[in-house]
């Protein structure tokens, strides 16, 4: 794994590309673009074709608002068929089970343009009301395209949380917050503490592994594509349980590898994880903390990490 050259993308291009992804779906494109223009609010982030990993597979959401965990699905003609209705219900149930996402459906079949406009307006009003609700409780974090890769705001706050969706352009940028400087870094793992590594997994199907983030981000499931390369970890080789050839660390701070709509790589914090299950041709990690704390001088709070790991180990032993 290595960092690729980053291309600066301007804000207009980012939004234009978000819509280009769906321009082959004329009704979906129409509804989503109208929602965007009626909202007319750049403090509200939206994502088209958001991938959601569930135990039943990966699904795409037509439109997703990360700040509110709200998805909008546009139901066209084929959604009204009996078997498709059942599939949609199972799909929605799987998404709810795997995350906190609430789904709003806009049904455009056999509707007049006036009726469709009314449904769209109801969605827009609901989103704006959610924003106002969070402003009043102090929970609303305005979205800013320019701040997308500004990590200093989290360090000033002395905490990064999973829900912040803090993004790093390169592995080197991630490692820098742990007090190390590299011109480049090509490994998928970095040793930080004796009992804790920093890990940069691809949480999607790739050349070697089919990795998934499940249970609302609380579980990482790793399955190798080639089981013949597996050997036992911390067990005799004759053991029937198999895991990766290279021993995996027991605890990892996970900064997952993703690509944005322009194909540019970035890394985002997913929490502190502990290995839970080794065997049956898979490895399961479970999240034990959704936060990374910083000290007053801006360095990572090692005591916080070690305390989290120690408490989990004491719980297991008891």
């Amino acid at each position: 794994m290595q960092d690729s050259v980053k291309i600066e993308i301007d804000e207009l291009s980012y939004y234009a590309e978000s819509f280009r992804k769906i321009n082959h779906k004329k009704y979906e494109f129409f509804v989503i673009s109208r929602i965007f223009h009626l909202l007319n609010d750049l403090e509200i982030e939206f994502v088209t074709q958001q991938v959601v990993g569930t135990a039943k597979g990966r699904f795409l959401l037509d439109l997703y608002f990360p700040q509110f965990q709200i998805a909008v699905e546009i139901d066209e003609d084929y959604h009204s068929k009996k078997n498709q209705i059942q599939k949609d219900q199972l799909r929605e149930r799987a998404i709810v089970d795997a995350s906190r996402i609430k789904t709003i459906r806009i049904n455009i079949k056999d509707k007049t343009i006036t009726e469709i406009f009314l449904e769209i307006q109801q969605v827009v009003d609901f989103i704006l009301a959610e924003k106002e609700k969070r402003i009043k409780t102090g929970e609303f974090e305005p979205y800013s395209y320019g701040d997308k890769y500004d990590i200093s705001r989290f360090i000033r706050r002395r905490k990064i949380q999973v829900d912040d969706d803090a993004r790093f352009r390169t592995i080197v940028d991630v490692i820098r917050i742990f007090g190390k400087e590299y011109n480049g870094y090509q490994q998928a793992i970095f040793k930080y503490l004796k009992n804790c590594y920093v890990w940069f997994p691809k949480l999607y199907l790739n050349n070697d592994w089919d990795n998934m983030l499940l249970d609302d981000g609380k579980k990482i499931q790793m399955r190798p594509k080639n089981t013949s390369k597996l050997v036992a970890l911390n067990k005799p080789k004759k053991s029937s349980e198999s895991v990766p050839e290279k021993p995996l660390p027991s605890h990892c701070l996970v900064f997952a590898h993703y690509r944005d709509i322009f194909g540019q790589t970035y890394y985002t914090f997913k929490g502190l994880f502990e290995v839970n299950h080794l065997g049956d041709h898979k490895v399961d990690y479970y999240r034990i903390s959704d936060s990374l704390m910083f000290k007053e001088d801006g360095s990572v709070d090692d005591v916080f990490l070690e305390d989290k790991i120690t408490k989990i180990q004491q719980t297991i032993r008891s």
Side-chain angles (χ1 to χ4, degrees):
M1 177 181 294
Q2 65 182 47
D3 295 338
S4 56
V5 176
K6 302 298 168 201
I7 302 171
E8 295 295 333
I9 306 297
D10 66 86
E11 191 168 4
L12 178 60
S13 296
Y14 176 80
Y15 287 118
E17 183 64 17
S18 295
F19 286 103
R20 190 199 65 78
K21 286 165 54 181
I22 58 172
N23 66 6
H24 61 291
K25 301 180 177 181
K26 59 182 180 180
Y27 296 115
E28 183 177 319
F29 179 85
F30 171 78
V31 172
I32 290 175
S33 59
R34 184 163 178 83
I35 289 173
F36 173 75
H37 289 102
L38 286 175
L39 281 172
N40 192 28
D41 191 337
L42 296 181
E43 290 187 342
I44 296 177
E45 182 180 9
F46 76 97
V47 182
T48 57
Q49 299 294 289
Q50 171 69 50
V51 178
V52 178
T54 78
K56 297 185 181 298
R58 294 177 176 85
F59 299 103
L60 286 175
L61 302 175
D62 294 340
L63 178 63
Y64 179 56
F65 295 95
Q67 291 150 302
F68 315 117
Q69 289 85 51
I70 292 174
V72 179
E73 291 287 283
I74 293 87
D75 291 342
E76 303 181 38
D77 283 354
Y78 75 93
H79 283 277
S80 62
K81 297 176 182 178
K82 186 176 179 180
N83 65 332
Q84 187 60 45
I85 291 174
Q86 293 173 338
K87 287 181 181 178
D88 285 344
Q89 290 171 342
L90 291 172
R91 176 179 181 273
E92 189 168 327
R93 183 70 259 168
I95 291 171
V96 170
D97 290 343
S99 67
R100 294 168 292 173
I101 295 174
K102 171 185 172 62
T103 301
I104 301 173
R105 311 197 77 89
I106 295 179
N107 185 355
I108 65 171
K109 177 179 167 53
D110 298 329
K111 297 282 183 68
T112 66
I113 191 68
T114 301
E115 290 171 327
I116 294 171
F117 276 8
L118 179 60
E119 283 199 48
I120 291 172
Q121 188 63 55
Q122 289 171 343
V123 170
V124 169
D125 292 343
F126 183 78
I127 296 295
L128 292 175
E130 286 296 306
K131 177 185 176 181
E132 287 304 313
K133 188 189 304 180
R134 283 165 172 75
I135 289 175
K136 289 178 181 177
T137 60
E139 298 174 281
F140 183 71
E141 180 92 26
Y143 170 73
S144 170
Y145 178 83
D147 290 341
K148 188 182 288 287
Y149 295 97
D150 179 16
I151 303 304
S152 63
R153 55 197 169 118
F154 302 113
I155 294 177
R156 288 194 298 270
R157 194 180 71 184
R158 297 178 62 182
K159 178 167 62 175
I160 293 179
Q161 293 178 293
V162 171
D163 287 346
D164 291 330
D165 190 30
R167 297 187 179 189
F168 298 77
R169 292 187 183 277
T170 67
I171 290 178
V172 169
D173 290 338
V174 176
I175 294 176
R176 187 172 292 122
I177 69 172
F178 294 95
K180 301 292 184 180
E181 288 286 346
Y182 290 91
N183 292 326
Y185 196 85
Q186 299 183 2
Q187 303 299 314
I189 200 160
F190 166 76
K191 186 174 183 179
Y192 179 55
L193 301 175
K194 182 179 179 180
N195 57 349
C196 185
Y197 286 66
V198 183
W199 182 28
F200 310 100
K202 296 177 179 178
L203 296 181
Y204 51 83
L205 186 64
N206 56 78
N207 291 338
D208 300 312
W209 291 85
D210 183 8
N211 302 328
M212 295 184 71
L213 190 66
L214 303 171
D215 299 342
D216 196 19
K218 296 183 179 70
K219 175 183 176 181
I220 294 176
Q221 183 181 89
M222 302 172 61
R223 292 182 182 275
K225 292 177 67 176
N226 186 351
T227 58
S228 65
K229 292 185 177 181
L230 301 182
V231 296
L233 173 64
N234 297 330
K235 292 184 179 182
K237 287 189 177 180
K238 63 182 180 180
S239 169
S240 61
E241 292 196 322
S242 300
V243 292
E245 289 177 323
K246 294 183 180 180
L248 292 170
S250 59
H251 296 89
C252 290
L253 284 161
V254 173
F255 289 81
H257 173 289
Y258 290 100
R259 291 188 185 278
D260 65 18
I261 57 177
F262 296 96
Q264 297 296 298
T265 299
Y266 69 91
Y267 300 86
T268 186
F269 179 61
K270 293 300 179 182
L272 173 62
F273 284 76
E274 178 176 69
V275 69
N276 178 271
H277 176 81
L278 301 172
D280 300 325
H281 299 270
K282 70 176 182 178
V283 181
D284 291 340
Y285 276 87
Y286 284 86
R287 195 173 70 197
I288 60 175
S289 176
D290 65 355
S291 302
L292 177 63
M293 308 298 291
F294 297 92
K295 294 187 287 190
E296 214 169 313
D297 63 3
S299 60
V300 172
D301 190 341
D302 299 345
V303 175
F304 170 80
L305 291 175
E306 291 170 339
D307 184 55
K308 284 287 183 183
I309 293 171
T310 300
K311 283 182 178 177
I312 287 294
Q313 290 173 335
Q314 289 173 344
T315 301
I316 292 172
R317 283 195 293 269
S318 63

